[in-house]
Amino acid sequence: VLCVHKRTYKALRPLILKDFLKEQKTVNQVATDTGINWRTVDNHIIHLTGRGFLKEVFVSPFVKIYAITERGILALKNGGPL
């Protein structure tokens, strides 16, 4: 029997946000780096952008590149809700 442990947003969002501490990234780069499904990463990036923790730095019809904001860095440092 295969048991699948589903991670909660409380576990996933800090992982996703921490990946942006290194550099600006696309959804696909974050998914590859973290091992999280692309669709899941995309949904959480939309949420984190809406909350001001990430920002779009480049947008084209084919790709979006995101970067962490000062607010995102502070949220990681303080361990607050994401």
Side-chain angles (χ1 to χ4, degrees):
V1 175
L2 177 65
C3 182
V4 177
H5 177 68
K6 190 171 179 182
R7 294 181 282 184
T8 66
Y9 73 90
K10 289 181 182 184
L12 294 174
R13 288 182 185 156
L15 284 176
I16 292 168
L17 208 50
K18 283 177 191 168
D19 201 45
F20 285 97
L21 291 172
K22 304 171 205 163
E23 61 185 345
Q24 300 173 353
K25 297 188 180 225
T26 65
V27 173
N28 198 44
Q29 287 172 311
V30 176
T32 301
D33 291 349
T34 60
I36 301 169
N37 173 282
W38 184 93
R39 177 59 61 202
T40 301
V41 170
D42 188 50
N43 288 336
H44 286 291
I45 284 179
I46 290 168
H47 172 83
L48 292 166
T49 301
R51 295 278 316 273
F53 299 127
L54 294 173
K55 64 181 177 183
E56 293 176 342
V57 292
F58 178 80
V59 179
S60 81
F62 306 104
V63 68
K64 287 184 185 177
I65 299 175
Y66 296 89
I68 194 167
T69 63
E70 192 64 38
R71 180 179 174 156
I73 293 168
L74 287 172
L76 279 177
K77 197 178 290 185
N78 297 332
L82 302 174

